[in-house]
Amino acid sequence: MRRFSVLLILIALVAAGQQLKERPADSPQLQNETAGQPGTIEVPAGTQIPLRLAQAISTKNAKPGDPVYAETAFPIAINDRIVIPAGTYVQGRIAQVKRPGRVKGNAEFLMHFTTLVYKSGYTVMLPGSVEQMPGSEKQHVKDKEGTIQQDSNKGHDAGTVAQTAGTGAMVGGIADRSLKGAALGGAAGAGAGMLVSLLTRGPDVNLPAGTSVQMVLQRPLVVQAAKIQ
C-alpha cells in the first residue's frame, strides 16, 4: 500500500513538470500573472499634451471651483499605439483667481486638469497642469504650478498720461495764448491721465474658446488597454 502511494506521488510530480515545460516563460498567461498591472499602458510623467479650450475663461467673472472644459488637439502615441486620441475630452477646475489691481498687480488664475474622458465614456483621473500658452501674446505661465498671468499694461498707462497731457497742453495754450498756459495745461492733463490710470483696473485674463493650452502630466497616467480601442 505504501509503495502504491509513493508511486502515485511520483506520477503527479512528473505530470506537473511536463506542464511547466509545455508552457513557455514568455506566454501571455504567465506574463499576466507576474505583471503588476496586466493589460495597462502607462503614459509617463512629463508628457506634454496639446489642448484647446472648449469654453471662454476670464478673471473678470471666473471664481475658484468653476469647471474647465477642453479637448486634446493632437493624438498621443506610446509604442506605436495611440493612447490618447485627438478630440478626447478633458475636465478641470479653476483653483485660484486674482483680479488686476488699480495701482499694481496683474490679473492671473490657476487651473488644474483632473479627468480624461474618452468618447466611449471611459474615464481616467488626470494629474495635469498648464505648462505653456502657445501663440499667446498677452498671457504667459509664470510658475511651475501653471499660473496664467496677464502681461503688464504699463505701455497703455503711459499712452493715457501722454495723450491727456497733450490735450491739456493744447487747451491751456489756446485759452492763455502763451507757453505758460500750455505748460500749465500739460501738467493738469498729465495729472488727469495719472488719475485715470490709478482709478482703472489693469486688463483681465481673457481666454476665448479655442485657445491653445499645453498641458503636462505631473504623474504617470495609467490606462486600461482594452478600454481605449
Side-chain angles (χ1 to χ4, degrees):
M1 182 69 180
R2 183 177 300 177
R3 291 181 180 179
F4 181 73
S5 299
V6 172
L7 180 61
L8 289 177
I9 293 174
L10 290 176
I11 293 174
L13 290 175
V14 171
Q18 185 65 27
Q19 289 180 357
L20 289 176
K21 289 181 180 180
E22 291 176 353
R23 190 174 69 178
D26 59 348
S27 68
Q29 182 179 357
L30 186 59
Q31 287 181 351
N32 290 344
E33 291 174 356
T34 57
Q37 291 182 305
T40 62
I41 300 176
E42 181 179 294
V43 184
T47 300
Q48 297 180 347
I49 303 175
L51 306 178
R52 281 192 298 264
L53 292 180
Q55 99 272 28
I57 301 175
S58 173
T59 52
K60 189 174 183 178
N61 50 29
K63 57 185 182 296
D66 284 353
V68 175
Y69 302 105
E71 293 184 4
T72 57
F74 193 83
I76 303 300
I78 300 293
N79 295 330
D80 299 327
R81 178 176 181 179
I82 294 179
V83 180
I84 304 176
T88 303
Y89 305 126
V90 178
Q91 295 179 343
R93 293 282 178 183
I94 292 179
Q96 299 176 10
V97 179
K98 177 184 174 183
R99 292 293 311 280
R102 289 186 171 86
V103 178
K104 63 178 181 179
N106 298 342
E108 60 185 46
F109 78 97
L110 175 65
M111 62 181 175
H112 296 299
F113 298 105
T114 57
T115 311
L116 190 69
V117 183
Y118 287 80
K119 294 293 181 69
S120 64
Y122 174 50
T123 303
V124 184
M125 298 302 295
L126 181 69
S129 63
V130 178
E131 185 177 66
Q132 297 180 22
M133 296 289 295
S136 176
E137 298 180 354
K138 297 181 180 180
Q139 298 89 21
H140 64 278
V141 179
K142 78 167 192 176
D143 54 30
K144 292 183 179 180
E145 292 185 355
T147 302
I148 300 173
Q149 186 178 69
Q150 183 72 18
D151 291 342
S152 175
N153 200 37
K154 291 181 179 179
H156 181 268
D157 291 343
T160 300
V161 173
Q163 183 178 6
T164 53
T167 303
M170 182 179 66
V171 173
I174 293 174
D176 194 70
R177 295 184 180 180
S178 66
L179 292 176
K180 181 179 180 180
L184 292 175
M194 183 64 69
L195 183 61
V196 170
S197 297
L198 292 177
L199 294 178
T200 304
R201 286 184 180 273
D204 281 283
V205 176
N206 292 297
L207 305 180
T211 298
S212 296
V213 176
Q214 191 85 352
M215 179 181 69
V216 62
L217 294 182
Q218 298 173 319
R219 297 186 301 275
L221 175 69
V222 179
V223 298
Q224 295 292 330
K227 295 185 178 182
I228 60 174
Q229 297 293 341

